[in-house]
Amino acid sequence: MNISILYGHPYDKSFNKAILQQVTAHLELRGAAVKVKDLIQLSFDPVLELKDLEAKFTKVLPEDVAKEQEDLLWADALIIISPVWWGGFPAVIKGYIDRVFTTALVRSAEGVYGLEGKRAYSIFTTGSSEDYIRTSRQKDMLYAANDNLFGFAKFADAELKLLYSVPRVTPEERQAMLLEVNQFVDRIFDLKPGEGESTKDSPSHLALVEDLAKH
């Protein structure tokens, strides 16, 4: 099993970093080959520029995009670990998607879906309570974005795990969250492709962020 982890938090002592370390160790314990994409440490440029658009016609990809596409094709599953800021992905995650999930890769002119059958498991932390997330309808936006991306690319599974009120929970509750995260990524091994939840089958909500550096 080859698994690529897309990570997008700049603070090295965040709970996101603890999740990354926990998930990486757990996946390797289960025998997976893991590539971690710490986009901040990689200084990945999230800005879609003219050169990226020109690549659609020249077929010459920027070097950083070509490398990331190779690793996407290598992976059986993609895990995203990220905070939710202002109701959506941090800019570096969104920019990665903009630049790496190119039209030619997702669906070629010949109708070939380059990522078809792969699996996506996203883990997001929020600063807000589950009640607020539910009533604000923000989770609708996250599920819609998840479905639009992975659904169009014909991923077999596209599951989400939301962890609420991270800056205000107890250390014991954080430890429980880390166990939940283990159980969540276990689904990659314990379920066959297509047996996981589709985003279309999932309830909807998200979160407005508080205390950005803490989750």
Side-chain angles (χ1 to χ4, degrees), residues 7-21 81-83 85 125 166 174 178 211-215:
Y7 177 72
H9 201 299
Y11 184 42
D12 199 46
K13 295 183 179 179
S14 68
F15 188 54
N16 269 242
K17 187 61 175 287
I19 293 171
L20 174 64
Q21 293 169 339
I81 299 173
S82 170
W85 288 346
T125 62
V166 169
R174 289 192 178 206
L178 292 177
D211 302 325
L212 299 186
K214 296 181 182 178
H215 77 273

Side-chain angles (χ1 to χ4, degrees), residues 170-182:
T170 65
E172 292 75 20
E173 288 171 316
R174 289 192 178 206
Q175 287 302 311
M177 287 178 177
L178 292 177
L179 292 178
E180 290 178 26
V181 165
N182 278 356

Side-chain angles (χ1 to χ4, degrees), residues 119 156-157 191-197:
R119 312 172 76 186
D157 304 302
L191 300 178
K192 296 178 181 178
E195 290 183 345
E197 294 178 1

Side-chain angles (χ1 to χ4, degrees), residues 6 39 44 68 72 92-101:
L6 190 61
L39 299 182
F44 183 83
E68 294 307 318
L72 268 181
V92 72
I93 296 285
K94 180 59 168 63
Y96 183 96
I97 292 167
D98 287 345
R99 296 190 63 216
V100 177
F101 281 72

Side-chain angles (χ1 to χ4, degrees), residues 46-67:
V47 179
L48 183 72
E49 298 182 2
L50 179 59
K51 63 183 179 183
D52 298 293
L53 297 178
E54 289 176 338
K56 182 176 181 178
F57 304 99
T58 65
K59 312 300 181 186
V60 179
L61 292 169
E63 185 177 346
D64 57 344
V65 171
K67 174 64 170 66

